[in-house]
């Protein structure tokens, strides 16, 4: 069995879409951004997992909730970290835990883990 899709409720669909596309390579069905007055979008990863973004007035995920993007190696984790840092995201450096990893609060109100 293969996971087919995940839905995230976010406060800002265009910002979440841009973040996920820019840093993690997700692709949109609607690159123009005109989807339902920016209240909904559909993204795909390299394995065609469907990630839907739906706008909600409030987002309240549990503290431990996150989505993760595995990288090929620690160097790639460091590269993503540096890009985020250079672009002004408040992110602590990677550290050794269950993997070489760090977390970042994404636009829209959810957390992303980057790890190798």
């Amino acid at each position: 069995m293969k996971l087919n899709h995940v839905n995230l409720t976010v406060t800002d669909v265009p910002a979440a879409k841009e973040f996920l596309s820019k840093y993690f390579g997700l692709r949109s069905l609607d690159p123009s951004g005109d989807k339902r007055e920016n209240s909904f979008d559909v993204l795909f990863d390299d394995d065609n997992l469907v990630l839907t973004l739906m706008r909600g007035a409030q987002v309240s995920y549990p503290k431990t909730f996150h989505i993760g993007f595995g990288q090929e190696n620690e160097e790639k984790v460091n590269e993503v970290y540096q890009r985020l840092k250079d672009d002004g995201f408040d992110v602590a450096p990677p550290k050794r835990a269950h993997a070489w990893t760090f977390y970042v609060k994404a636009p829209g109100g959810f957390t992303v883990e980057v790890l190798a």
Side-chain angles (χ1 to χ4, degrees):
M1 214 176 299
K2 183 176 178 179
L3 181 62
N4 173 268
H5 73 274
V6 175
N7 179 74
L8 291 178
T9 301
V10 299
T11 56
D12 188 332
V13 171
K17 171 186 167 180
E18 180 182 348
F19 177 83
L20 293 167
S21 298
K22 180 176 182 177
Y23 298 105
F24 303 104
L26 273 65
R27 303 172 313 281
S28 175
L29 269 182
D30 182 21
S32 69
D34 292 336
K35 187 106 35 201
R36 295 186 193 163
E37 299 177 15
N38 295 317
S39 63
F40 175 79
D41 213 324
V42 180
L43 303 173
F44 297 89
D45 72 2
D46 292 340
D47 291 326
N48 289 318
L49 171 83
V50 179
L51 178 64
T52 58
L53 303 173
M54 291 184 173
R55 185 178 61 210
Q58 290 182 307
V59 174
S60 180
Y61 288 109
K63 184 177 180 177
T64 58
F65 176 84
H66 64 276
I67 62 173
F69 288 95
Q71 304 298 305
E72 297 170 15
N73 53 49
E74 292 179 5
E75 183 178 314
K76 296 289 185 188
V77 171
N78 295 340
E79 288 173 10
V80 175
Y81 164 77
Q82 194 59 56
R83 287 180 61 211
L84 288 163
K85 192 78 171 164
D86 291 348
D87 288 348
F89 285 90
D90 181 20
V91 58
K95 64 181 181 180
R96 180 86 44 222
H98 55 280
W100 186 243
T101 185
F102 70 91
Y103 295 84
V104 60
K105 190 74 162 182
F110 60 100
T111 300
V112 171
E113 179 183 16
V114 182
L115 69 153

